[in-house]
Amino acid sequence: MTQNELDFLKLTALKVRRHIIEQVFNAKSGHPGGSLSIADLVTYLYFREIKADPMNPADPGRDRFVLSKGHCAPALYAALAMRGFFPEEDLVTLRKVDSYLEGHPSSREVPGVDISTGSLGQGISNAVGAAIAGKLDRRDYRVYCILGDGECEEGQVWEAAMCAAHYDLDNLCCVVDLNRLQIDGETEKVMNPNPIGEKFAAFGWNVIQIDGHDFGEIGSAFRAAADEKGCPTVIIAETVKGKGVSFMENKASWHGVAPNAEETAKALQEIDNEIKKAEVQNG
Ligand SMILES: Cc1ncc(C[n+]2csc(CCOP(=O)(O)OP(=O)(O)O)c2C)c(N)n1
Ligand SMILES: [Mg+2]
């Protein structure tokens, strides 16, 4: 990746983070922590990786994306809006009664959302189904799926993992957002799912470990996943929950709470400072 491309992705991810804070603040509810931890991954996916046309979101040949940790909809909505699937102004209607932007993504209502999610564990099963369908239909689309590490405490995840390897789904690439926190605190204390990579490897997956905030590593991992033949790939992305807002970082208390006006101003100030620096780099 060139320096220009890296600078562009960095700036775009900051704008995604800004939208996350604004959405959750306006809704007075939602999930900032886990949305911020996947901001870089979602930015890379929607601005470099996923082949989909905002003008034709139902194209049967498009790549599929499943946000299995559906509570992090604000990150997905920000990326979709910025890619042109729907107006960016609509983002602040998140969770309002008449809005199509529900707290968890609905494929019936939101252009670009392939599969409705929110019930943890189920999204990866849908992704496996979409990947099997791709093979049966002899289409060359790829299927991407982001899971939480707390989500990996769900038994259904491992049934899906077994199925994906059984059917040699090399068109499937999952990402585990390894931020080490879930709703009630540290995953290791709640119900230790680690080592998640070794578990996927035992089921027959190709496993790649990366820093989930490093665009160089993210890009290389998706390239390697696309080159892998005969088995599915999982990218274990080490991340920081709340990444990019100092007082939210690594705090389980910011899992599902909206910032108040004062906290929002502080968060946006921090992000805007970084945006200013990034804009200078982007020329
Ligand atoms: C089946 C199911 N059980 C419980 C919940 C409630 N819930 C929402 S988020 C969450 C914790 C998820 O932790 P993790 O997957 O690590 O998400 P992240 O840290 O990325 O926010 C729980 C238990 C749910 N959405 N679905
Ligand atoms: Mg987590």
Side-chain angles (χ1 to χ4, degrees):
M1 219 180 306
T2 66
Q3 191 58 46
N4 276 355
E5 286 170 326
L6 281 173
D7 290 345
F8 168 78
L9 288 170
K10 213 174 144 187
L11 180 59
T12 306
L14 286 165
K15 292 178 180 171
V16 166
R17 288 193 163 88
R18 199 176 200 295
H19 276 312
I20 290 168
I21 297 297
E22 286 194 317
Q23 286 174 83
V24 177
F25 169 65
N26 279 284
K28 297 190 173 63
S29 70
H31 298 81
S35 297
L36 290 167
S37 67
I38 57 165
D40 299 307
L41 291 161
V42 165
T43 298
Y44 188 88
L45 279 165
Y46 274 95
F47 285 85
R48 278 287 172 277
E49 185 70 17
I50 289 174
K51 291 185 205 75
D53 179 1
M55 295 302 129
N56 187 13
D59 177 3
R62 74 194 184 281
D63 287 345
R64 284 10 177 216
F65 175 71
V66 184
L67 183 62
S68 199
K69 48 170 231 165
H71 58 284
C72 297
L76 173 61
Y77 293 160
L80 285 173
M82 289 170 67
R83 275 286 279 107
F85 283 87
F86 54 84
E88 266 179 82
E89 307 87 80
D90 289 358
L91 287 171
V92 290
T93 68
L94 174 77
R95 287 176 176 250
K96 304 282 182 212
V97 169
D98 297 326
S99 176
Y100 59 103
L101 301 176
E102 295 182 12
H104 297 75
S106 165
S107 58
R108 291 190 179 190
E109 297 187 64
V110 187
V113 170
D114 292 316
I115 290 160
S116 301
T117 50
S119 187
L120 295 170
Q122 296 185 357
I124 181 173
S125 295
N126 278 295
V128 168
I132 292 174
K135 294 270 181 195
L136 291 173
D137 293 344
R138 298 191 194 288
R139 289 191 181 272
D140 63 0
Y141 66 73
R142 291 185 60 72
V143 182
Y144 300 91
C145 173
I146 296 185
L147 298 143
D149 53 352
E151 181 177 11
C152 292
E153 296 163 6
E154 290 281 355
Q156 182 170 352
V157 169
W158 303 105
E159 192 177 341
M162 181 163 53
C163 182
H166 180 83
Y167 288 108
D168 305 330
L169 300 180
D170 49 16
N171 53 349
L172 174 65
C173 180
C174 290
V175 181
V176 174
D177 177 24
L178 189 71
N179 59 28
R180 301 192 182 276
L181 293 173
Q182 60 119 299
I183 195 169
D184 291 322
E186 292 169 40
T187 53
E188 292 208 1
K189 290 189 181 147
V190 177
M191 176 69 75
N192 190 2
N194 298 307
I196 295 173
E198 286 178 33
K199 289 188 173 75
F200 273 99
F203 278 103
W205 288 54
N206 173 39
V207 181
I208 303 170
Q209 188 102 13
I210 61 161
D211 172 347
H213 301 303
D214 181 315
F215 284 115
E217 290 190 23
I218 296 171
S220 303
F222 282 118
R223 292 283 67 70
D227 288 343
E228 185 73 24
K229 297 294 166 228
C231 69
T233 290
V234 63
I235 298 170
I236 308 291
E238 296 255 10
T239 61
V240 173
K241 199 156 175 168
K243 174 78 176 173
V245 176
S246 61
F247 58 91
M248 290 186 180
E249 288 190 359
N250 278 317
K251 297 249 170 31
S253 53
W254 284 104
H255 170 81
V257 174
N260 63 27
E262 198 185 320
E263 291 158 341
T264 298
K266 189 163 184 276
L268 293 180
Q269 183 68 59
E270 285 185 18
I271 296 168
D272 285 345
N273 285 344
E274 294 302 313
I275 288 180
K276 267 185 214 128
K277 283 188 222 160
E279 277 173 345
V280 172
Q281 274 162 355
N282 272 256

